[in-house]
Amino acid sequence: MKILNSNEFDNAIASGIVLVDFYADWCGPCKMMLPIVEEISEEFAGKITVAKVDVDGSPSTAAKFGIRNIPTILFFKDGKVADKQV
């Protein structure tokens, strides 16, 4: 699983299917979701890319996608948001 910063984000989502977990280290629900996200990463390895974005470390990326609650998971297909789960 990749941890992305604002500089890497656009390239990481540019092609294929990418699941991005927007989280914060201090967020209790985010910590509860971590094993599930890790399991998805392992189960779908080679089929989709799973990445995480720390909203405190990359606030501009979080703002770009209107992330107001965490955890939020965005699904991208070829660089475009395909689905969102809060």
Side-chain angles (χ1 to χ4, degrees):
M1 183 171 7
K2 300 176 184 180
I3 297 179
L4 303 174
N5 62 36
S6 294
N7 297 330
E8 304 166 319
F9 190 84
D10 289 336
N11 286 336
I13 66 164
S15 64
I17 298 172
V18 184
L19 179 155
V20 181
D21 176 20
F22 287 85
Y23 77 101
D25 289 331
W26 49 263
C27 169
C30 298
K31 291 177 185 178
M32 290 172 33
M33 286 292 298
L34 181 59
I36 297 167
V37 174
E38 288 174 340
E39 183 178 330
I40 291 169
S41 178
E42 292 171 13
E43 185 174 336
F44 293 96
K47 297 176 184 169
I48 68 170
T49 301
V50 177
K52 295 174 69 75
V53 173
D54 181 351
V55 297
D56 292 331
S58 300
S60 61
T61 302
K64 179 178 177 180
F65 294 100
I67 306 300
R68 296 187 182 167
N69 299 305
I70 52 174
T72 293
I73 295 177
L74 294 182
F75 296 88
F76 292 88
K77 183 170 183 184
D78 297 329
K80 295 186 175 26
V81 177
D83 198 6
K84 177 179 183 176
Q85 296 294 317
V86 180

